Amino acid sequence: MSELWNESDAGVLRLPSGRAVRGRGLRHPMDPTAPLPSYGVYLLGKRPPEGPWESDWIRWPDFRLPADRTAARAALVVAWERAAGERVEIACGGGRGRTGTALACLAVLDGVPAGEAVAYVRRHYDRHAVETPWQRRYVRRFGEG
């Protein structure tokens, strides 16, 4: 079992179950003293470069939705499951729209009602998270399974 995120770590969202996931914008340099994830899910329009930890890529263009929603759901379920015992990171370019949307989906998996998940992420992660109406709708529909 890996070490888990501390709530004081930058970008960490604590879910109701106690799981913690770090959201991050890849355009912003990572603090060199920050702990490294053991697993990352990267939400980008093109494949990210390989990193020193295990990761998955969801093709997800900026301001849009995942290209393959079935694969996106599967990757987010894996991220949620792994967050119980590992440092999981979710990241896109800016760390708000796509990352916020994915974090809201993790909140749904964690038991937050789909209609409340965006507000939960905005309250506990970033008040500007989940940037577009279609991203908000994606989160509401994510709860339908």
mmCIF file of all heavy atoms in Angstrom, residues 69-118:
data_model
loop_
_atom_site.group_PDB
_atom_site.id
_atom_site.type_symbol
_atom_site.label_atom_id
_atom_site.label_comp_id
_atom_site.label_asym_id
_atom_site.label_seq_id
_atom_site.Cartn_x
_atom_site.Cartn_y
_atom_site.Cartn_z
ATOM 1 N N ARG A 69 -16.787 7.551 -24.055
ATOM 2 C CA ARG A 69 -17.359 7.680 -22.710
ATOM 3 C C ARG A 69 -17.327 6.374 -21.927
ATOM 4 O O ARG A 69 -17.205 6.383 -20.709
ATOM 5 C CB ARG A 69 -18.766 8.252 -22.804
ATOM 6 C CG ARG A 69 -18.690 9.683 -23.322
ATOM 7 C CD ARG A 69 -20.002 10.357 -23.397
ATOM 8 N NE ARG A 69 -19.808 11.587 -24.174
ATOM 9 C CZ ARG A 69 -20.764 12.341 -24.608
ATOM 10 N NH1 ARG A 69 -22.021 12.021 -24.353
ATOM 11 N NH2 ARG A 69 -20.513 13.435 -25.295
ATOM 12 N N THR A 70 -17.411 5.253 -22.621
ATOM 13 C CA THR A 70 -17.335 3.954 -21.934
ATOM 14 C C THR A 70 -15.939 3.751 -21.356
ATOM 15 O O THR A 70 -15.784 3.356 -20.197
ATOM 16 C CB THR A 70 -17.704 2.811 -22.907
ATOM 17 O OG1 THR A 70 -19.030 3.045 -23.390
ATOM 18 C CG2 THR A 70 -17.642 1.468 -22.220
ATOM 19 N N ALA A 71 -14.916 4.045 -22.147
ATOM 20 C CA ALA A 71 -13.531 3.926 -21.676
ATOM 21 C C ALA A 71 -13.251 4.936 -20.559
ATOM 22 O O ALA A 71 -12.549 4.622 -19.594
ATOM 23 C CB ALA A 71 -12.552 4.125 -22.826
ATOM 24 N N ALA A 72 -13.809 6.131 -20.675
ATOM 25 C CA ALA A 72 -13.624 7.155 -19.637
ATOM 26 C C ALA A 72 -14.221 6.683 -18.321
ATOM 27 O O ALA A 72 -13.586 6.785 -17.263
ATOM 28 C CB ALA A 72 -14.247 8.475 -20.068
ATOM 29 N N ARG A 73 -15.428 6.134 -18.364
ATOM 30 C CA ARG A 73 -16.063 5.636 -17.134
ATOM 31 C C ARG A 73 -15.206 4.537 -16.516
ATOM 32 O O ARG A 73 -14.964 4.541 -15.311
ATOM 33 C CB ARG A 73 -17.465 5.104 -17.421
ATOM 34 C CG ARG A 73 -18.099 4.419 -16.196
ATOM 35 C CD ARG A 73 -19.515 3.945 -16.475
ATOM 36 N NE ARG A 73 -20.479 4.968 -16.244
ATOM 37 C CZ ARG A 73 -20.900 5.342 -15.026
ATOM 38 N NH1 ARG A 73 -20.424 4.775 -13.948
ATOM 39 N NH2 ARG A 73 -21.800 6.284 -14.897
ATOM 40 N N ALA A 74 -14.710 3.614 -17.341
ATOM 41 C CA ALA A 74 -13.885 2.512 -16.832
ATOM 42 C C ALA A 74 -12.618 3.053 -16.163
ATOM 43 O O ALA A 74 -12.243 2.601 -15.078
ATOM 44 C CB ALA A 74 -13.541 1.544 -17.955
ATOM 45 N N ALA A 75 -11.962 4.023 -16.782
ATOM 46 C CA ALA A 75 -10.738 4.592 -16.200
ATOM 47 C C ALA A 75 -11.035 5.333 -14.903
ATOM 48 O O ALA A 75 -10.251 5.259 -13.948
ATOM 49 C CB ALA A 75 -10.065 5.531 -17.204
ATOM 50 N N LEU A 76 -12.163 6.026 -14.839
ATOM 51 C CA LEU A 76 -12.507 6.749 -13.618
ATOM 52 C C LEU A 76 -12.886 5.793 -12.492
ATOM 53 O O LEU A 76 -12.563 6.046 -11.326
ATOM 54 C CB LEU A 76 -13.615 7.764 -13.895
ATOM 55 C CG LEU A 76 -13.185 8.926 -14.807
ATOM 56 C CD1 LEU A 76 -14.384 9.804 -15.157
ATOM 57 C CD2 LEU A 76 -12.062 9.743 -14.172
ATOM 58 N N VAL A 77 -13.519 4.680 -12.822
ATOM 59 C CA VAL A 77 -13.816 3.672 -11.799
ATOM 60 C C VAL A 77 -12.505 3.117 -11.235
ATOM 61 O O VAL A 77 -12.352 2.969 -10.012
ATOM 62 C CB VAL A 77 -14.712 2.545 -12.363
ATOM 63 C CG1 VAL A 77 -14.752 1.345 -11.434
ATOM 64 C CG2 VAL A 77 -16.131 3.075 -12.622
ATOM 65 N N VAL A 78 -11.546 2.831 -12.105
ATOM 66 C CA VAL A 78 -10.246 2.342 -11.645
ATOM 67 C C VAL A 78 -9.579 3.392 -10.749
ATOM 68 O O VAL A 78 -9.048 3.061 -9.686
ATOM 69 C CB VAL A 78 -9.334 1.975 -12.845
ATOM 70 C CG1 VAL A 78 -7.890 1.766 -12.405
ATOM 71 C CG2 VAL A 78 -9.872 0.742 -13.554
ATOM 72 N N ALA A 79 -9.620 4.654 -11.155
ATOM 73 C CA ALA A 79 -9.014 5.718 -10.349
ATOM 74 C C ALA A 79 -9.668 5.790 -8.969
ATOM 75 O O ALA A 79 -8.978 5.890 -7.948
ATOM 76 C CB ALA A 79 -9.134 7.059 -11.067
ATOM 77 N N TRP A 80 -10.992 5.726 -8.922
ATOM 78 C CA TRP A 80 -11.714 5.778 -7.647
ATOM 79 C C TRP A 80 -11.333 4.586 -6.761
ATOM 80 O O TRP A 80 -11.070 4.755 -5.573
ATOM 81 C CB TRP A 80 -13.217 5.826 -7.903
ATOM 82 C CG TRP A 80 -14.017 5.824 -6.642
ATOM 83 C CD1 TRP A 80 -14.234 6.876 -5.807
ATOM 84 C CD2 TRP A 80 -14.692 4.699 -6.075
ATOM 85 N NE1 TRP A 80 -15.008 6.471 -4.743
ATOM 86 C CE2 TRP A 80 -15.303 5.145 -4.877
ATOM 87 C CE3 TRP A 80 -14.841 3.369 -6.446
ATOM 88 C CZ2 TRP A 80 -16.048 4.298 -4.068
ATOM 89 C CZ3 TRP A 80 -15.582 2.531 -5.630
ATOM 90 C CH2 TRP A 80 -16.181 2.995 -4.463
ATOM 91 N N GLU A 81 -11.287 3.386 -7.363
ATOM 92 C CA GLU A 81 -10.922 2.194 -6.592
ATOM 93 C C GLU A 81 -9.499 2.310 -6.044
ATOM 94 O O GLU A 81 -9.238 2.008 -4.878
ATOM 95 C CB GLU A 81 -11.059 0.938 -7.453
ATOM 96 C CG GLU A 81 -12.503 0.585 -7.761
ATOM 97 C CD GLU A 81 -12.661 -0.517 -8.802
ATOM 98 O OE1 GLU A 81 -11.668 -0.837 -9.514
ATOM 99 O OE2 GLU A 81 -13.783 -1.032 -8.918
ATOM 100 N N ARG A 82 -8.569 2.752 -6.884
ATOM 101 C CA ARG A 82 -7.169 2.832 -6.467
ATOM 102 C C ARG A 82 -6.950 3.919 -5.422
ATOM 103 O O ARG A 82 -6.033 3.825 -4.603
ATOM 104 C CB ARG A 82 -6.279 3.053 -7.686
ATOM 105 C CG ARG A 82 -6.234 1.809 -8.573
ATOM 106 C CD ARG A 82 -5.330 1.959 -9.746
ATOM 107 N NE ARG A 82 -3.934 1.930 -9.336
ATOM 108 C CZ ARG A 82 -2.927 1.665 -10.160
ATOM 109 N NH1 ARG A 82 -3.161 1.377 -11.430
ATOM 110 N NH2 ARG A 82 -1.686 1.683 -9.727
ATOM 111 N N ALA A 83 -7.787 4.952 -5.420
ATOM 112 C CA ALA A 83 -7.643 6.048 -4.460
ATOM 113 C C ALA A 83 -7.859 5.593 -3.020
ATOM 114 O O ALA A 83 -7.475 6.301 -2.086
ATOM 115 C CB ALA A 83 -8.606 7.182 -4.808
ATOM 116 N N ALA A 84 -8.420 4.417 -2.828
ATOM 117 C CA ALA A 84 -8.608 3.898 -1.475
ATOM 118 C C ALA A 84 -7.274 3.583 -0.801
ATOM 119 O O ALA A 84 -7.179 3.620 0.424
ATOM 120 C CB ALA A 84 -9.484 2.642 -1.498
ATOM 121 N N GLY A 85 -6.241 3.305 -1.597
ATOM 122 C CA GLY A 85 -4.972 2.921 -1.003
ATOM 123 C C GLY A 85 -3.745 3.495 -1.688
ATOM 124 O O GLY A 85 -2.627 3.129 -1.345
ATOM 125 N N GLU A 86 -3.954 4.382 -2.675
ATOM 126 C CA GLU A 86 -2.834 4.935 -3.434
ATOM 127 C C GLU A 86 -3.020 6.427 -3.660
ATOM 128 O O GLU A 86 -4.120 6.941 -3.559
ATOM 129 C CB GLU A 86 -2.745 4.269 -4.814
ATOM 130 C CG GLU A 86 -2.482 2.791 -4.793
ATOM 131 C CD GLU A 86 -2.445 2.227 -6.196
ATOM 132 O OE1 GLU A 86 -1.642 2.727 -7.013
ATOM 133 O OE2 GLU A 86 -3.220 1.309 -6.474
ATOM 134 N N ARG A 87 -1.924 7.098 -4.034
ATOM 135 C CA ARG A 87 -2.007 8.514 -4.408
ATOM 136 C C ARG A 87 -2.375 8.586 -5.886
ATOM 137 O O ARG A 87 -1.553 8.328 -6.762
ATOM 138 C CB ARG A 87 -0.680 9.222 -4.146
ATOM 139 C CG ARG A 87 -0.442 9.488 -2.674
ATOM 140 C CD ARG A 87 0.699 10.471 -2.462
ATOM 141 N NE ARG A 87 1.955 9.973 -2.969
ATOM 142 C CZ ARG A 87 3.013 9.686 -2.220
ATOM 143 N NH1 ARG A 87 2.971 9.847 -0.918
ATOM 144 N NH2 ARG A 87 4.111 9.246 -2.780
ATOM 145 N N VAL A 88 -3.628 8.939 -6.143
ATOM 146 C CA VAL A 88 -4.158 9.043 -7.504
ATOM 147 C C VAL A 88 -4.251 10.516 -7.886
ATOM 148 O O VAL A 88 -4.705 11.344 -7.101
ATOM 149 C CB VAL A 88 -5.549 8.375 -7.604
ATOM 150 C CG1 VAL A 88 -6.187 8.627 -8.963
ATOM 151 C CG2 VAL A 88 -5.418 6.875 -7.340
ATOM 152 N N GLU A 89 -3.814 10.797 -9.116
ATOM 153 C CA GLU A 89 -3.858 12.152 -9.656
ATOM 154 C C GLU A 89 -4.736 12.159 -10.902
ATOM 155 O O GLU A 89 -4.656 11.260 -11.724
ATOM 156 C CB GLU A 89 -2.433 12.578 -10.018
ATOM 157 C CG GLU A 89 -2.354 13.845 -10.823
ATOM 158 C CD GLU A 89 -0.928 14.276 -11.073
ATOM 159 O OE1 GLU A 89 -0.335 13.845 -12.091
ATOM 160 O OE2 GLU A 89 -0.414 15.041 -10.238
ATOM 161 N N ILE A 90 -5.572 13.195 -11.009
ATOM 162 C CA ILE A 90 -6.377 13.439 -12.210
ATOM 163 C C ILE A 90 -5.917 14.783 -12.750
ATOM 164 O O ILE A 90 -5.856 15.760 -11.993
ATOM 165 C CB ILE A 90 -7.885 13.514 -11.877
ATOM 166 C CG1 ILE A 90 -8.369 12.288 -11.112
ATOM 167 C CG2 ILE A 90 -8.698 13.774 -13.136
ATOM 168 C CD1 ILE A 90 -8.454 11.024 -11.908
ATOM 169 N N ALA A 91 -5.577 14.857 -14.027
ATOM 170 C CA ALA A 91 -5.040 16.115 -14.538
ATOM 171 C C ALA A 91 -5.401 16.339 -16.000
ATOM 172 O O ALA A 91 -5.523 15.400 -16.784
ATOM 173 C CB ALA A 91 -3.521 16.132 -14.374
ATOM 174 N N CYS A 92 -5.566 17.632 -16.328
ATOM 175 C CA CYS A 92 -5.738 18.085 -17.708
ATOM 176 C C CYS A 92 -4.805 19.285 -17.882
ATOM 177 O O CYS A 92 -3.943 19.527 -17.036
ATOM 178 C CB CYS A 92 -7.208 18.436 -17.980
ATOM 179 S SG CYS A 92 -7.833 19.867 -17.056
ATOM 180 N N GLY A 93 -4.990 20.055 -18.920
ATOM 181 C CA GLY A 93 -4.112 21.197 -19.150
ATOM 182 C C GLY A 93 -4.167 22.235 -18.044
ATOM 183 O O GLY A 93 -3.158 22.590 -17.448
ATOM 184 N N GLY A 94 -5.366 22.736 -17.752
ATOM 185 C CA GLY A 94 -5.506 23.794 -16.767
ATOM 186 C C GLY A 94 -5.884 23.333 -15.379
ATOM 187 O O GLY A 94 -5.756 24.078 -14.416
ATOM 188 N N GLY A 95 -6.432 22.131 -15.269
ATOM 189 C CA GLY A 95 -6.795 21.596 -13.965
ATOM 190 C C GLY A 95 -8.167 21.986 -13.466
ATOM 191 O O GLY A 95 -8.479 21.766 -12.297
ATOM 192 N N ARG A 96 -9.026 22.538 -14.346
ATOM 193 C CA ARG A 96 -10.345 22.981 -13.903
ATOM 194 C C ARG A 96 -11.504 22.286 -14.612
ATOM 195 O O ARG A 96 -12.326 21.660 -13.966
ATOM 196 C CB ARG A 96 -10.487 24.486 -14.091
ATOM 197 C CG ARG A 96 -9.681 25.275 -13.113
ATOM 198 C CD ARG A 96 -9.967 26.737 -13.279
ATOM 199 N NE ARG A 96 -9.406 27.477 -12.164
ATOM 200 C CZ ARG A 96 -9.360 28.781 -12.121
ATOM 201 N NH1 ARG A 96 -9.847 29.498 -13.106
ATOM 202 N NH2 ARG A 96 -8.828 29.382 -11.081
ATOM 203 N N GLY A 97 -11.581 22.445 -15.922
ATOM 204 C CA GLY A 97 -12.741 21.935 -16.659
ATOM 205 C C GLY A 97 -12.821 20.428 -16.713
ATOM 206 O O GLY A 97 -13.687 19.807 -16.102
ATOM 207 N N ARG A 98 -11.886 19.822 -17.436
ATOM 208 C CA ARG A 98 -11.884 18.370 -17.563
ATOM 209 C C ARG A 98 -11.558 17.705 -16.234
ATOM 210 O O ARG A 98 -12.208 16.729 -15.842
ATOM 211 C CB ARG A 98 -10.878 17.938 -18.638
ATOM 212 C CG ARG A 98 -11.288 18.389 -20.029
ATOM 213 C CD ARG A 98 -10.179 18.241 -21.033
ATOM 214 N NE ARG A 98 -9.168 19.288 -20.831
ATOM 215 C CZ ARG A 98 -8.075 19.421 -21.567
ATOM 216 N NH1 ARG A 98 -7.806 18.568 -22.526
ATOM 217 N NH2 ARG A 98 -7.222 20.406 -21.334
ATOM 218 N N THR A 99 -10.567 18.245 -15.521
ATOM 219 C CA THR A 99 -10.205 17.677 -14.218
ATOM 220 C C THR A 99 -11.373 17.796 -13.252
ATOM 221 O O THR A 99 -11.723 16.835 -12.567
ATOM 222 C CB THR A 99 -8.950 18.375 -13.647
ATOM 223 O OG1 THR A 99 -7.852 18.094 -14.512
ATOM 224 C CG2 THR A 99 -8.634 17.899 -12.245
ATOM 225 N N GLY A 100 -11.998 18.966 -13.193
ATOM 226 C CA GLY A 100 -13.143 19.149 -12.313
ATOM 227 C C GLY A 100 -14.286 18.221 -12.659
ATOM 228 O O GLY A 100 -14.944 17.657 -11.768
ATOM 229 N N THR A 101 -14.518 18.020 -13.950
ATOM 230 C CA THR A 101 -15.572 17.111 -14.401
ATOM 231 C C THR A 101 -15.270 15.686 -13.946
ATOM 232 O O THR A 101 -16.143 14.989 -13.415
ATOM 233 C CB THR A 101 -15.721 17.181 -15.935
ATOM 234 O OG1 THR A 101 -16.020 18.543 -16.305
ATOM 235 C CG2 THR A 101 -16.809 16.265 -16.440
ATOM 236 N N ALA A 102 -14.036 15.241 -14.144
ATOM 237 C CA ALA A 102 -13.653 13.886 -13.718
ATOM 238 C C ALA A 102 -13.736 13.744 -12.198
ATOM 239 O O ALA A 102 -14.210 12.721 -11.699
ATOM 240 C CB ALA A 102 -12.247 13.559 -14.218
ATOM 241 N N LEU A 103 -13.308 14.770 -11.460
ATOM 242 C CA LEU A 103 -13.407 14.714 -10.000
ATOM 243 C C LEU A 103 -14.872 14.640 -9.561
ATOM 244 O O LEU A 103 -15.203 13.920 -8.614
ATOM 245 C CB LEU A 103 -12.713 15.918 -9.360
ATOM 246 C CG LEU A 103 -11.188 15.948 -9.477
ATOM 247 C CD1 LEU A 103 -10.641 17.268 -8.950
ATOM 248 C CD2 LEU A 103 -10.544 14.768 -8.766
ATOM 249 N N ALA A 104 -15.744 15.367 -10.249
ATOM 250 C CA ALA A 104 -17.174 15.294 -9.928
ATOM 251 C C ALA A 104 -17.709 13.891 -10.201
ATOM 252 O O ALA A 104 -18.539 13.375 -9.433
ATOM 253 C CB ALA A 104 -17.953 16.346 -10.708
ATOM 254 N N CYS A 105 -17.238 13.246 -11.256
ATOM 255 C CA CYS A 105 -17.645 11.865 -11.536
ATOM 256 C C CYS A 105 -17.152 10.925 -10.437
ATOM 257 O O CYS A 105 -17.875 10.009 -10.024
ATOM 258 C CB CYS A 105 -17.129 11.423 -12.903
ATOM 259 S SG CYS A 105 -17.935 12.271 -14.284
ATOM 260 N N LEU A 106 -15.932 11.161 -9.932
ATOM 261 C CA LEU A 106 -15.431 10.352 -8.815
ATOM 262 C C LEU A 106 -16.296 10.577 -7.573
ATOM 263 O O LEU A 106 -16.570 9.634 -6.827
ATOM 264 C CB LEU A 106 -13.979 10.694 -8.502
ATOM 265 C CG LEU A 106 -12.934 10.350 -9.561
ATOM 266 C CD1 LEU A 106 -11.542 10.694 -9.058
ATOM 267 C CD2 LEU A 106 -12.999 8.901 -9.980
ATOM 268 N N ALA A 107 -16.749 11.811 -7.380
ATOM 269 C CA ALA A 107 -17.638 12.095 -6.243
ATOM 270 C C ALA A 107 -18.941 11.320 -6.380
ATOM 271 O O ALA A 107 -19.465 10.791 -5.395
ATOM 272 C CB ALA A 107 -17.898 13.603 -6.146
ATOM 273 N N VAL A 108 -19.462 11.205 -7.601
ATOM 274 C CA VAL A 108 -20.677 10.410 -7.841
ATOM 275 C C VAL A 108 -20.403 8.946 -7.480
ATOM 276 O O VAL A 108 -21.207 8.304 -6.790
ATOM 277 C CB VAL A 108 -21.150 10.554 -9.306
ATOM 278 C CG1 VAL A 108 -22.248 9.549 -9.630
ATOM 279 C CG2 VAL A 108 -21.634 11.978 -9.572
ATOM 280 N N LEU A 109 -19.267 8.424 -7.942
ATOM 281 C CA LEU A 109 -18.915 7.043 -7.598
ATOM 282 C C LEU A 109 -18.801 6.861 -6.088
ATOM 283 O O LEU A 109 -19.064 5.787 -5.558
ATOM 284 C CB LEU A 109 -17.594 6.642 -8.272
ATOM 285 C CG LEU A 109 -17.623 6.508 -9.787
ATOM 286 C CD1 LEU A 109 -16.210 6.327 -10.335
ATOM 287 C CD2 LEU A 109 -18.526 5.359 -10.215
ATOM 288 N N ASP A 110 -18.427 7.917 -5.396
ATOM 289 C CA ASP A 110 -18.227 7.876 -3.959
ATOM 290 C C ASP A 110 -19.527 8.097 -3.173
ATOM 291 O O ASP A 110 -19.499 8.085 -1.950
ATOM 292 C CB ASP A 110 -17.195 8.933 -3.557
ATOM 293 C CG ASP A 110 -16.477 8.583 -2.273
ATOM 294 O OD1 ASP A 110 -15.770 7.565 -2.252
ATOM 295 O OD2 ASP A 110 -16.645 9.321 -1.286
ATOM 296 N N GLY A 111 -20.632 8.300 -3.878
ATOM 297 C CA GLY A 111 -21.915 8.425 -3.204
ATOM 298 C C GLY A 111 -22.541 9.805 -3.190
ATOM 299 O O GLY A 111 -23.655 9.980 -2.695
ATOM 300 N N VAL A 112 -21.863 10.810 -3.716
ATOM 301 C CA VAL A 112 -22.466 12.137 -3.815
ATOM 302 C C VAL A 112 -23.535 12.079 -4.902
ATOM 303 O O VAL A 112 -23.256 11.589 -6.007
ATOM 304 C CB VAL A 112 -21.398 13.209 -4.152
ATOM 305 C CG1 VAL A 112 -22.040 14.569 -4.373
ATOM 306 C CG2 VAL A 112 -20.335 13.274 -3.059
ATOM 307 N N PRO A 113 -24.751 12.546 -4.644
ATOM 308 C CA PRO A 113 -25.779 12.535 -5.693
ATOM 309 C C PRO A 113 -25.292 13.306 -6.930
ATOM 310 O O PRO A 113 -24.655 14.363 -6.801
ATOM 311 C CB PRO A 113 -26.971 13.238 -5.038
ATOM 312 C CG PRO A 113 -26.762 13.021 -3.563
ATOM 313 C CD PRO A 113 -25.268 13.047 -3.377
ATOM 314 N N ALA A 114 -25.573 12.774 -8.113
ATOM 315 C CA ALA A 114 -25.078 13.356 -9.364
ATOM 316 C C ALA A 114 -25.450 14.828 -9.501
ATOM 317 O O ALA A 114 -24.663 15.623 -10.009
ATOM 318 C CB ALA A 114 -25.581 12.554 -10.556
ATOM 319 N N GLY A 115 -26.628 15.205 -9.036
ATOM 320 C CA GLY A 115 -27.054 16.594 -9.124
ATOM 321 C C GLY A 115 -26.317 17.527 -8.175
ATOM 322 O O GLY A 115 -26.413 18.750 -8.304
ATOM 323 N N GLU A 116 -25.574 16.981 -7.237
ATOM 324 C CA GLU A 116 -24.834 17.783 -6.253
ATOM 325 C C GLU A 116 -23.318 17.696 -6.433
ATOM 326 O O GLU A 116 -22.567 18.395 -5.741
ATOM 327 C CB GLU A 116 -25.196 17.322 -4.839
ATOM 328 C CG GLU A 116 -26.661 17.478 -4.506
ATOM 329 C CD GLU A 116 -27.041 16.821 -3.189
ATOM 330 O OE1 GLU A 116 -26.144 16.632 -2.326
ATOM 331 O OE2 GLU A 116 -28.224 16.502 -3.019
ATOM 332 N N ALA A 117 -22.856 16.850 -7.329
ATOM 333 C CA ALA A 117 -21.419 16.566 -7.442
ATOM 334 C C ALA A 117 -20.617 17.768 -7.930
ATOM 335 O O ALA A 117 -19.504 17.998 -7.445
ATOM 336 C CB ALA A 117 -21.193 15.359 -8.351
ATOM 337 N N VAL A 118 -21.142 18.539 -8.864
ATOM 338 C CA VAL A 118 -20.403 19.712 -9.348
ATOM 339 C C VAL A 118 -20.226 20.711 -8.202
ATOM 340 O O VAL A 118 -19.126 21.232 -7.979
ATOM 341 C CB VAL A 118 -21.096 20.355 -10.563
ATOM 342 C CG1 VAL A 118 -20.456 21.699 -10.917
ATOM 343 C CG2 VAL A 118 -21.041 19.413 -11.763
#
